[in-house]
Amino acid sequence: MLTLYYSPGSASMVVHLAMLELGLAHELRLVDFGSLAQKDPEYLRLNPNGVVPTLIIDGAPVYECAALLLLLGERHADKGLAPVVGAADRGLYLQWVLHLANTVQPAFRQWFYPTDFGPDDQADAMREYARRRIEAAWDRLDAHLAAHGPFMLGAEFSLLDLYATMLMRWSRNMPKPADRWPAINGLAQRIKARPSWQRVYEVEGLTEWA
Ligand SMILES: N[C@@H](CCC(=O)N[C@@H](CS)C(=O)NCC(=O)O)C(=O)O
């Protein structure tokens, strides 16, 4: 049994989606950001970074959503939702998962938590810089999908598409949301139509960007 510590619509969403796509038995534990439960000493023992997600696998906590996505994909390689070691598209898969984790997701962190990156009176400048980084990322991702889509790896859906779409969703209240880019919008519509996406909305109580 897997146990996911989550907050609705946050970085834990991709892990929740992946578990549903892979058909894995799991339980969910809500981490209430309203009461700062992510900074509670008990939770910090699982994840000293004080963020979600944390996934309990075989009794031990593992965190970082990209690591969890890769781990679940490789532990359930038989499901065919992630290229196995040696597969032709393994490099492309790792490239994009790591790009989303290292470049796109941190820019969102800067957008949502600008004061983590500088003094309070610089927050607007931090967000403006984050906005430009995020929009530049959508330019590149849209060009990739237009040339090689409709999914991130081409013709076939993979767990990577869930990660990309979760990040797209985070831009929904930005000046230029990701789905204004045509090829990105095509991917978003495909992922939103999947039962896993709809189930996560139901279970996590999400409404926006349905
Ligand atoms: N690098 C981490 C980042 C996780 C992260 O930033 N989670 C956010 C929600 S999207 C969080 O827990 N925020 C609460 C906080 O920072 O107090 C990952 O990918 O798992």
Side-chain angles (χ1 to χ4, degrees):
M1 172 68 85
L2 299 164
T3 303
L4 176 66
Y5 287 79
Y6 82 105
S7 169
S10 75
S12 49
M13 185 182 185
V14 67
V15 182
H16 193 179
L17 286 162
M19 293 191 304
L20 291 170
E21 288 284 351
L22 293 164
L24 307 179
H26 61 273
E27 61 181 34
L28 299 172
R29 299 258 170 91
L30 179 67
V31 179
D32 177 22
F33 284 3
S35 62
L36 282 182
Q38 75 274 29
K39 310 298 181 204
D40 191 279
E42 202 178 320
Y43 183 72
L44 292 176
R45 273 197 287 279
L46 300 175
N47 183 336
N49 295 328
V51 293
V52 295
T54 302
L55 186 66
I56 310 296
I57 305 181
D58 300 335
V62 182
Y63 46 83
E64 289 296 331
C65 71
L68 291 167
L69 192 71
L70 293 172
L71 185 62
L72 291 176
E74 82 184 25
R75 282 170 68 109
H76 302 281
D78 56 308
K79 301 281 168 53
L81 295 185
V84 295
V85 175
D89 51 359
R90 173 85 173 166
L92 193 66
Y93 180 70
L94 293 177
Q95 169 197 297
W96 278 107
V97 170
L98 273 287
H99 176 72
L100 295 178
N102 289 340
T103 303
V104 186
Q105 194 179 333
F108 273 107
R109 179 94 200 166
Q110 188 171 354
W111 173 261
F112 287 122
Y113 302 87
T115 53
D116 280 6
F117 294 83
D120 288 6
D121 64 358
Q122 301 283 313
D124 287 348
M126 294 293 156
R127 290 189 100 210
E128 174 55 20
Y129 180 54
R131 182 191 65 75
R132 280 193 266 128
R133 288 171 66 202
I134 291 166
E135 290 184 5
W138 297 147
D139 284 341
R140 293 189 298 267
L141 204 130
D142 191 68
H144 168 73
L145 286 169
H148 305 290
F151 294 105
M152 289 297 290
L153 296 183
E156 299 296 330
F157 165 79
S158 73
L159 297 181
L160 166 61
D161 296 304
L162 302 174
Y163 193 13
T165 309
M166 177 188 79
L167 295 172
M168 292 168 199
R169 182 178 181 275
W170 289 1
S171 73
R172 66 194 180 280
N173 296 319
M174 292 185 70
K176 188 173 177 190
D179 53 9
R180 300 256 185 94
W181 278 259
I184 287 179
N185 185 44
L187 176 61
Q189 297 312 322
R190 282 183 168 81
I191 301 306
K192 286 183 190 187
R194 294 183 79 85
S196 65
W197 189 268
Q198 290 158 16
R199 179 75 184 142
V200 164
Y201 263 61
E202 199 180 305
V203 173
E204 298 196 3
L206 303 174
T207 51
E208 287 184 83
W209 211 68

